Each structure stands twice: as C-alpha cells, then as structure tokens.
Amino acid sequence: MAFQILLNFFIAVVWMFLSSSMTVTTFVIGYIIGLILLIMMRRFFTESLYFEWLWAAFKLTLLFIRELTLSNIDVLRVVLRPKLNIQPRIFALPTELKRDWEITLLSSLITLTPGTVVVHVSDDQKTLYVHAIDADDVQDAIDSIKNTFEKAIKEVSRP
Amino acid sequence: MTVIANTLIVLTIVVGLLFTVVTVIGVLRLPDVYTRAHAASKSATLGVLSILVGTFFHFWLNEGYFSVRILLGILFLFITAPIGGHLMSRAAYFSGVKPTELTVGDDLAEVVERAKKEKQIN
C-alpha cells in the first residue's frame, strides 16, 4: 500500500519534469494521471489499490463519529432520568482481531459506543472484558455493533 | 452569512456546554467508579470537542484565522479520551474496587481469581 502511494507520487514528479513546470497544478494533474495508470495496472499488484483502503478508513471514521454522538445521547438519557434504574455488568467479548493496533482501535471504538467501557484485554488478546451500563437491553444490540466495528476494522486492515 | 456563522458557533458551544454539564451531573449521580467512567469518558469528549469546534469556527469565519492547532487538539482528544477512561477503570478494577450492588454479572472476576491462584502455586 505504501509502495503504491510512493509510485503514484513518483509518477506525478515525472509528469512535472516532462511538462517542465514546477507548480502545484501540474503536480495534481500528474497525480491524477498516476491514479489512472495504477487503476490500469492493478492486476500486477498483489494487494488491492490503496484508495480502496482510504475509502474503508473514511467509512470507519464516519461510523466512529456517529457512534460517539449516539453514545452521548444515551449517557444523557441515563444520567438525567429521575430514577436511576441501571444494571451494570462486566461481560466477556471474544474477538478475532490479531494485530495490536487493531485491538487498540476496536477497544477505543467500544469505549465510545453507547453504554460500554473496555475494562481489560486478556493476556492472549483473544477476549475483551467490557463493562456495560445496562445489561439486559444492551447485550444483543452491543453484539451487533461489535460485528459492524470488527468488520469495518477488518476491511481497513486486509482490503 | 454572519448570521449563519454565528448560529453555527452558538449552537456548537451550547451543545458542548450541555454535554459538559451532563458529565458533571453524571459523575455526581452515578453509583460507582465504572459507571462514572462511562459518563466522564463519553460526555466530556463530545463536550470539549464541540466547544473546540465552535472556537475554531469563530476564529475562522469571524476573524479569518484558520487555526490548525485547534484541529490537532480535537484529534488528540479523540485518541486519548477513550484510552484514559479505559485505563482508569482497569486500574480501579485491579486494585480491588468493588462494583455497585446493582451489578448483575462479572465475567472478569473468575479470570482474575484464576490468575491469582496460578501466581500462588508458582
């Protein structure tokens, strides 16, 4: 992926030399030409193209912002309810993610989702222990949210 | 144009203030350290975030100054706030702070017990 970006950059620089004008506009045109060339040559790369990865990362960012807003409204409702009828619970959540940064990202996302805070990551990095603020109605909803997050992170890490 | 800009600024700062106040109420009202971590790590993030966004828009649209530092501050806040909430609740758990009586289940307790026993055997 880094190689593809570097190649695209290189093609843009070559384009700047070919047209012998060192301006930003020429660079941008060269970059777009490099992008088209990369798309045409995509079957020679073992990985998929880098802007697919960029698109997945962008989708993950949007998901993150949406979940942050939703979780804040959720906390607002819990806090401002006149009677405090919460049922906290710590539950185990198995994860399939392997690399360190993926697990860090997943636990950050879980911490910012409605009603959950990660308390502990097990030593073999296969289970996350999550504190949920409301056990009965959140449990199923949370599992589905985890699936969307885990899927989005997988899309980013192995496109 | 100025009216739209000012509405945007006032709206974001009011939302930020609202969430910050909710954080304070949550920290005062909720029963134990873990539920307080919920309130503190979420509402404080979005509260400070919207205040920063409002400040950014004010300086950009009214004063004509595009402040990259505020944007960087927002980014740093996004990265550090959930980690802070996680670390504090983890430290509380492993130093033996009991959750409230309202708690219905604890999957982590048995794991910690097993680890302690293994340590005693070794």
Side-chain angles (χ1 to χ4, degrees):
Chain A
M1 192 192 72
F3 172 72
Q4 288 177 19
I5 297 172
L6 206 64
L7 194 63
N8 203 341
F9 202 80
F10 181 69
I11 292 170
V13 171
V14 168
W15 178 257
M16 269 160 70
F17 276 99
L18 279 177
S19 47
S20 69
S21 77
M22 301 293 163
T23 58
V24 178
T25 326
T26 326
F27 181 82
V28 170
I29 293 169
Y31 202 86
I32 293 167
I33 289 171
L35 217 59
I36 295 166
L37 282 177
L38 281 185
I39 293 170
M40 285 164 70
M41 302 290 170
R42 68 180 171 279
R43 68 196 190 90
F44 296 102
F45 299 116
T46 48
E47 306 165 302
S48 52
L49 293 167
Y50 75 88
F51 38 84
E52 285 171 19
W53 176 84
L54 274 182
W55 177 242
F58 177 69
K59 276 198 293 191
L60 188 65
T61 315
L62 283 189
L63 192 71
F64 183 73
I65 291 170
R66 206 194 69 196
E67 288 302 326
L68 184 74
T69 322
L70 283 180
S71 73
N72 273 287
I73 295 167
D74 225 51
V75 167
L76 192 123
R77 273 186 25 230
V78 166
V79 166
L80 296 183
R81 218 180 282 160
K83 247 183 84 188
L84 209 63
N85 53 347
I86 51 171
Q87 287 186 315
R89 174 168 186 210
I90 296 177
F91 65 94
L93 176 92
T95 177
E96 296 159 33
L97 298 175
K98 294 280 181 309
R99 276 175 272 180
D100 284 352
W101 68 266
E102 294 170 352
I103 292 168
T104 313
L105 193 60
L106 182 69
S107 49
S108 290
L109 287 172
I110 290 171
T111 304
L112 289 171
T113 45
T116 45
V117 166
V118 176
V119 175
H120 179 58
V121 180
S122 68
D123 297 333
D124 55 0
Q125 297 194 339
K126 280 179 184 151
T127 324
L128 300 178
Y129 293 93
V130 184
H131 181 273
I133 202 166
D134 232 341
D136 33 319
D137 62 348
V138 170
Q139 189 76 52
D140 295 332
I142 284 168
D143 285 339
S144 70
I145 288 168
K146 298 294 147 47
N147 289 336
T148 60
F149 277 146
E150 226 176 30
K151 228 172 71 194
I153 292 175
K154 269 184 200 160
E155 254 172 56
V156 173
S157 68
R158 331 184 171 78
Chain B
M1 187 59 215
T2 340
V3 178
I4 299 172
N6 282 333
T7 318
L8 194 71
I9 292 160
V10 168
L11 206 72
T12 42
I13 288 187
V14 164
V15 167
L17 278 175
L18 182 75
F19 278 117
T20 316
V21 169
V22 164
T23 309
V24 175
I25 298 172
V27 169
L28 289 174
R29 264 195 88 189
L30 290 169
D32 68 341
V33 64
Y34 307 105
T35 45
R36 282 175 182 175
H38 282 271
S41 70
K42 281 164 202 160
S43 307
T45 319
L46 197 68
V48 179
L49 205 89
S50 343
I51 291 174
L52 280 178
V53 168
T55 321
F56 172 73
F57 277 135
H58 170 71
F59 279 104
W60 187 26
L61 299 173
N62 291 348
E63 317 262 320
Y65 174 65
F66 190 89
S67 172
V68 185
R69 265 182 242 173
I70 294 179
L71 292 181
L72 274 181
I74 291 171
L75 186 71
F76 286 145
L77 201 74
F78 251 140
I79 297 168
T80 51
I83 310 280
H86 159 67
L87 275 181
M88 278 187 278
S89 49
R90 187 176 190 277
Y93 195 92
F94 283 94
S95 52
V97 177
K98 290 273 173 290
T100 51
E101 290 87 48
L102 296 168
T103 308
V104 284
D106 193 347
D107 294 345
L108 185 52
E110 42 199 274
V111 179
V112 175
E113 282 299 310
R114 212 186 310 139
K116 260 184 202 162
K117 265 178 202 159
E118 273 170 22
K119 209 176 251 175
Q120 277 172 357
I121 290 166
N122 296 332

Short mmCIF file of all heavy atoms in Angstrom, two decimals, chain A residues 13-33:
data_model
loop_
_atom_site.label_atom_id
_atom_site.label_comp_id
_atom_site.label_asym_id
_atom_site.label_seq_id
_atom_site.Cartn_x
_atom_site.Cartn_y
_atom_site.Cartn_z
N VAL A 13 5.77 13.32 -10.03
CA VAL A 13 7.02 14.08 -10.16
C VAL A 13 7.56 13.97 -11.59
O VAL A 13 7.99 14.97 -12.19
CB VAL A 13 8.06 13.60 -9.12
CG1 VAL A 13 9.42 14.21 -9.39
CG2 VAL A 13 7.60 13.95 -7.73
N VAL A 14 7.49 12.75 -12.17
CA VAL A 14 7.93 12.55 -13.55
C VAL A 14 7.10 13.43 -14.49
O VAL A 14 7.65 14.05 -15.42
CB VAL A 14 7.82 11.06 -13.93
CG1 VAL A 14 7.98 10.88 -15.43
CG2 VAL A 14 8.88 10.26 -13.22
N TRP A 15 5.80 13.51 -14.23
CA TRP A 15 4.93 14.37 -15.05
C TRP A 15 5.35 15.83 -14.95
O TRP A 15 5.37 16.57 -15.94
CB TRP A 15 3.48 14.19 -14.63
CG TRP A 15 2.55 15.06 -15.41
CD1 TRP A 15 1.98 16.21 -14.98
CD2 TRP A 15 2.11 14.88 -16.75
NE1 TRP A 15 1.21 16.76 -15.96
CE2 TRP A 15 1.28 15.95 -17.06
CE3 TRP A 15 2.36 13.90 -17.72
CZ2 TRP A 15 0.67 16.08 -18.31
CZ3 TRP A 15 1.76 14.03 -18.95
CH2 TRP A 15 0.92 15.11 -19.24
N MET A 16 5.75 16.26 -13.73
CA MET A 16 6.20 17.63 -13.54
C MET A 16 7.45 17.90 -14.38
O MET A 16 7.59 18.94 -15.01
CB MET A 16 6.50 17.91 -12.06
CG MET A 16 5.31 18.43 -11.29
SD MET A 16 5.49 18.21 -9.52
CE MET A 16 6.75 19.37 -9.14
N PHE A 17 8.37 16.92 -14.40
CA PHE A 17 9.58 17.09 -15.19
C PHE A 17 9.27 17.10 -16.68
O PHE A 17 9.85 17.87 -17.44
CB PHE A 17 10.59 15.99 -14.85
CG PHE A 17 11.40 16.30 -13.65
CD1 PHE A 17 11.08 15.76 -12.42
CD2 PHE A 17 12.49 17.16 -13.74
CE1 PHE A 17 11.82 16.07 -11.30
CE2 PHE A 17 13.24 17.47 -12.62
CZ PHE A 17 12.90 16.92 -11.39
N LEU A 18 8.34 16.21 -17.10
CA LEU A 18 8.00 16.12 -18.53
C LEU A 18 7.41 17.43 -19.04
O LEU A 18 7.72 17.87 -20.14
CB LEU A 18 7.00 14.99 -18.77
CG LEU A 18 7.58 13.57 -18.86
CD1 LEU A 18 6.45 12.58 -19.02
CD2 LEU A 18 8.53 13.48 -20.03
N SER A 19 6.54 18.04 -18.21
CA SER A 19 5.93 19.29 -18.68
C SER A 19 6.75 20.50 -18.26
O SER A 19 6.35 21.63 -18.53
CB SER A 19 4.50 19.38 -18.17
OG SER A 19 4.46 19.08 -16.81
N SER A 20 7.88 20.27 -17.57
CA SER A 20 8.83 21.29 -17.10
C SER A 20 8.16 22.52 -16.50
O SER A 20 8.52 23.64 -16.80
CB SER A 20 9.81 21.69 -18.21
OG SER A 20 9.15 22.41 -19.22
N SER A 21 7.14 22.26 -15.66
CA SER A 21 6.60 23.36 -14.86
C SER A 21 6.39 22.85 -13.44
O SER A 21 5.69 21.86 -13.23
CB SER A 21 5.28 23.86 -15.46
OG SER A 21 4.24 22.99 -15.14
N MET A 22 7.07 23.50 -12.50
CA MET A 22 7.07 23.02 -11.12
C MET A 22 5.98 23.71 -10.30
O MET A 22 6.27 24.45 -9.38
CB MET A 22 8.44 23.26 -10.48
CG MET A 22 9.58 22.58 -11.20
SD MET A 22 9.44 20.81 -11.05
CE MET A 22 10.52 20.26 -12.36
N THR A 23 4.73 23.50 -10.67
CA THR A 23 3.65 24.13 -9.90
C THR A 23 2.77 23.06 -9.27
O THR A 23 2.85 21.88 -9.63
CB THR A 23 2.78 25.03 -10.79
OG1 THR A 23 2.26 24.23 -11.85
CG2 THR A 23 3.57 26.17 -11.37
N VAL A 24 1.94 23.49 -8.34
CA VAL A 24 1.05 22.55 -7.65
C VAL A 24 0.04 21.97 -8.64
O VAL A 24 -0.29 20.78 -8.59
CB VAL A 24 0.33 23.27 -6.49
CG1 VAL A 24 -0.62 22.33 -5.78
CG2 VAL A 24 1.34 23.82 -5.51
N THR A 25 -0.43 22.80 -9.56
CA THR A 25 -1.42 22.34 -10.54
C THR A 25 -0.88 21.18 -11.37
O THR A 25 -1.55 20.17 -11.56
CB THR A 25 -1.80 23.50 -11.49
OG1 THR A 25 -1.77 24.71 -10.76
CG2 THR A 25 -3.15 23.27 -12.09
N THR A 26 0.37 21.32 -11.83
CA THR A 26 0.98 20.25 -12.62
C THR A 26 1.10 18.98 -11.79
O THR A 26 0.86 17.88 -12.28
CB THR A 26 2.37 20.68 -13.10
OG1 THR A 26 2.37 22.07 -13.36
CG2 THR A 26 2.76 19.94 -14.35
N PHE A 27 1.47 19.17 -10.51
CA PHE A 27 1.60 18.01 -9.63
C PHE A 27 0.27 17.28 -9.50
O PHE A 27 0.20 16.06 -9.58
CB PHE A 27 2.11 18.46 -8.25
CG PHE A 27 2.30 17.31 -7.31
CD1 PHE A 27 3.46 16.55 -7.37
CD2 PHE A 27 1.33 16.97 -6.39
CE1 PHE A 27 3.63 15.48 -6.51
CE2 PHE A 27 1.50 15.91 -5.54
CZ PHE A 27 2.65 15.17 -5.60
N VAL A 28 -0.81 18.05 -9.31
CA VAL A 28 -2.12 17.44 -9.14
C VAL A 28 -2.53 16.69 -10.40
O VAL A 28 -3.02 15.55 -10.35
CB VAL A 28 -3.17 18.51 -8.76
CG1 VAL A 28 -4.58 17.93 -8.80
CG2 VAL A 28 -2.90 19.05 -7.38
N ILE A 29 -2.27 17.32 -11.58
CA ILE A 29 -2.60 16.64 -12.85
C ILE A 29 -1.79 15.35 -12.97
O ILE A 29 -2.33 14.28 -13.31
CB ILE A 29 -2.32 17.58 -14.05
CG1 ILE A 29 -3.30 18.75 -14.01
CG2 ILE A 29 -2.44 16.84 -15.36
CD1 ILE A 29 -2.96 19.86 -14.97
N GLY A 30 -0.49 15.42 -12.63
CA GLY A 30 0.34 14.23 -12.68
C GLY A 30 -0.15 13.16 -11.73
O GLY A 30 -0.13 11.97 -12.06
N TYR A 31 -0.62 13.59 -10.56
CA TYR A 31 -1.10 12.62 -9.58
C TYR A 31 -2.33 11.90 -10.10
O TYR A 31 -2.47 10.69 -9.96
CB TYR A 31 -1.43 13.33 -8.26
CG TYR A 31 -1.41 12.42 -7.07
CD1 TYR A 31 -0.21 12.18 -6.40
CD2 TYR A 31 -2.55 11.77 -6.65
CE1 TYR A 31 -0.17 11.33 -5.33
CE2 TYR A 31 -2.51 10.91 -5.57
CZ TYR A 31 -1.32 10.70 -4.92
OH TYR A 31 -1.27 9.85 -3.87
N ILE A 32 -3.23 12.66 -10.76
CA ILE A 32 -4.44 12.05 -11.32
C ILE A 32 -4.07 11.07 -12.44
O ILE A 32 -4.61 9.96 -12.52
CB ILE A 32 -5.41 13.14 -11.81
CG1 ILE A 32 -5.94 13.93 -10.62
CG2 ILE A 32 -6.58 12.52 -12.56
CD1 ILE A 32 -6.63 15.20 -10.99
N ILE A 33 -3.08 11.47 -13.27
CA ILE A 33 -2.64 10.56 -14.33
C ILE A 33 -2.05 9.28 -13.73
O ILE A 33 -2.34 8.16 -14.18
CB ILE A 33 -1.60 11.27 -15.23
CG1 ILE A 33 -2.31 12.35 -16.06
CG2 ILE A 33 -0.91 10.29 -16.15
CD1 ILE A 33 -1.37 13.25 -16.79
#
